[in-house]
Amino acid sequence: MANRTDPTAKNIRGTNPQNLVEKILRTKIYQHTYWKEQCFGLTAETLVDKAMELDYVGGTYGGNRKPTPFMCLVMKMLQIQPEKDIVVEFIKNEDYKYVRILGSFYLRLTGVDSDVYQYLEPLYNDYRKLRQKLGDGRFSLTHVDEVIDELLTKDYSCDIALPRIKKRWTLESIGTLEPRKSALEDDFEEEEDKEEDDQAMVEVGEKDHYRRRSPARERDHDRKHDSRRHRDRDNDRECGRGSERERSRDRDRDRDRLYLREDKDNGRERARDRDKGEDREWDRRDRDRGRRRNRSTSRSRSRSRDRRDGRDRRKRHGRGSASPPRRHDEDGNSRDESRKKKPKIEKKDDGTDHPDPEIAEANRLRASLGLKPLRP
Amino acid sequence: MIEVVLNDRLGKKVRVKCNDDDTIGDLKKLVAAQTGTRADKIRIQKWYNIYKDHITLRDYEIHDGMGLELYYN
């Protein structure tokens, strides 16, 4: 059989590495012409040429789910089991993004958890575009970092169930991984520095401020500037290839927005502090609102249950003298309101109150899938 | 509302309630919810016609009580 695994290949996760691809997809790959024509007798070196020719990623497509060349090459790699150095070279190369994805995918399938994080996370800074073939044969646009994120956080990609991988948090707490260092960290620090400077400038004169700064801090600042320069050069180099510029600008904008939001939150906090006098009033209203919300969530339950609830509540109220009279009054109002509103909402749709429990159940399922309710 | 029967002839046979203007993709989701198989791993066909996701049951002239073949991929 030409499709058997390299006899010197090591078992991965206790089984033949080719078993990482599910049986159905595997047989489809074996039957595919790309596999038979192009992947026959490939070695680790000749596989590189084929990988460089890739021009899209994806799992399977079309009515009878043909495998993509990408999938065939993943399969081939599982079969010949290239050395780890070669895979790492695949990932580290800068020029061929599909080779990079191929290497990452293979590493994700076969690698140890810490390796997966160690080698794949740097690719979060690769914003190049990728073509992706969808199941129905259409293409969609994605980016290298998005694919990497999918590999690291999801358990299913390219029609393959990926092996379980430990969460980053777990590995950090065990101590096998360092906390992740974001490429944006320097930016953040610069921003903070700038803000501090601005504030200082408002307080003191500009020149005075610069004179006051300690030499250590000066050095620190210089280093940061350097790093920025390096990064800029990188960006320039990458600029020809894709939309890094735009994206990084987008991120900047996002970050700004974040700051704004924080400011706003602070403002709100302050406002709340200010009118502490009305605090109790607020509290009470909040509580009431919460109760009302509770009642409205029971809308989806059957009507009889609701009515029973209502009766209970009324009984309790008839007895209840603990609550002050005004609240009582208000509650009564709200109850009237909700009673008025309820039937209208119940009729509205989603059909989960259908007399036939089977259909009601089906409608509930359909609602959860985002489909319209069954028509009679 | 119509009811269709999907049989994979390996021991799984499901009846699914649906509207006739649901697409095959919707039907797959409903089957997936009933059987526990991923919707995108399901293939519905009748003899050699593989049904496509974006076409409605009405357009395939699937009527109440009809049987479809259920395959996996």
Side-chain angles (χ1 to χ4, degrees), chain A residues 89-103:
Chain A
E89 275 312 308
F90 271 29
I91 295 172
K92 285 204 173 137
N93 98 351
E94 291 274 336
D95 304 319
Y96 296 95
K97 43 194 180 181
Y98 294 104
V99 176
R100 189 170 248 199
I101 297 296
L102 182 67

Side-chain angles (χ1 to χ4, degrees), chain A residues 66-298:
Chain A
K66 277 193 286 184
T68 57
F70 177 80
M71 221 56 249
C72 292
L73 288 182
V74 168
M75 191 69 190
K76 196 73 200 177
M77 287 179 84
L78 290 171
Q79 201 175 64
I80 61 180
Q81 199 170 68
E83 285 162 35
K84 194 182 155 197
D85 303 343
I86 297 177
V87 178
V88 171
E89 275 312 308
F90 271 29
I91 295 172
K92 285 204 173 137
N93 98 351
E94 291 274 336
D95 304 319
Y96 296 95
K97 43 194 180 181
Y98 294 104
V99 176
R100 189 170 248 199
I101 297 296
L102 182 67
S104 328
F105 197 89
Y106 178 73
L107 187 70
R108 173 69 178 83
L109 281 178
T110 60
V112 192
D113 296 352
S114 52
D115 280 349
V116 172
Y117 281 106
Q118 186 194 332
Y119 289 110
L120 261 54
E121 270 177 348
L123 306 193
Y124 269 133
N125 301 323
D126 189 344
Y127 310 133
R128 282 176 288 178
K129 289 177 190 166
L130 290 176
R131 266 167 296 219
Q132 187 179 31
K133 198 160 204 170
L134 303 175
D136 54 3
R138 286 178 305 156
F139 285 97
S140 78
L141 185 68
T142 175
H143 297 90
V144 176
D145 54 339
E146 285 175 73
V147 175
I148 295 298
D149 189 54
E150 185 178 298
L151 289 180
L152 286 179
T153 55
K154 303 268 163 37
D155 57 354
Y156 196 81
S157 170
C158 291
D159 293 307
I160 283 192
L162 303 171
R164 304 269 182 284
I165 190 174
K166 290 191 198 79
K167 291 272 180 293
R168 188 180 171 85
W169 185 83
T170 322
L171 290 175
E172 271 176 27
S173 59
I174 297 171
T176 46
L177 269 186
E178 298 291 308
R180 193 166 102 84
K181 195 164 168 12
S182 165
L184 293 175
E185 216 157 89
D186 291 344
D187 277 350
F188 274 123
E189 278 169 17
E190 266 170 36
E191 200 96 336
E192 275 165 19
D193 260 18
K194 218 189 286 170
E195 268 176 20
E196 272 173 31
D197 285 357
D198 284 352
Q199 278 175 5
M201 250 181 268
V202 172
E203 283 167 14
V204 209
E206 196 180 343
K207 272 184 188 164
D208 194 30
H209 165 67
Y210 274 120
R211 212 176 297 142
R212 250 177 1 131
R213 222 178 339 169
S214 68
R217 180 133 175 226
E218 195 85 63
R219 216 184 313 128
D220 200 80
H221 202 75
D222 275 349
R223 193 170 47 77
K224 263 172 209 153
H225 270 287
D226 262 352
S227 74
R228 206 217 333 229
R229 215 176 303 137
H230 282 308
R231 206 174 35 251
D232 276 352
R233 206 185 47 214
D234 279 356
N235 263 349
D236 284 346
R237 191 160 48 75
E238 304 255 299
C239 200
R241 271 196 227 119
S243 60
E244 285 84 7
R245 261 288 157 80
E246 277 168 46
R247 283 170 68 88
S248 64
R249 214 178 297 146
D250 267 3
R251 295 221 167 137
D252 278 357
R253 213 182 301 138
D254 277 357
R255 206 178 44 223
D256 284 347
R257 217 179 291 145
L258 201 89
Y259 272 115
L260 273 181
R261 205 184 307 141
E262 266 175 21
D263 280 357
K264 220 186 286 167
D265 278 356
N266 278 345
R268 207 179 295 148
E269 205 78 275
R270 237 174 286 136
R272 195 176 300 161
D273 281 351
R274 209 187 308 128
D275 50 33
K276 211 159 222 173
E278 298 161 16
D279 223 308
R280 292 174 82 197
E281 183 77 10
W282 260 106
D283 238 345
R284 190 169 51 75
R285 219 175 297 159
D286 268 356
R287 225 181 303 139
D288 274 348
R289 202 185 305 142
R291 194 170 302 165
R292 220 168 291 153
R293 196 179 304 136
N294 274 347
R295 208 174 296 156
S296 64
T297 47
S298 63

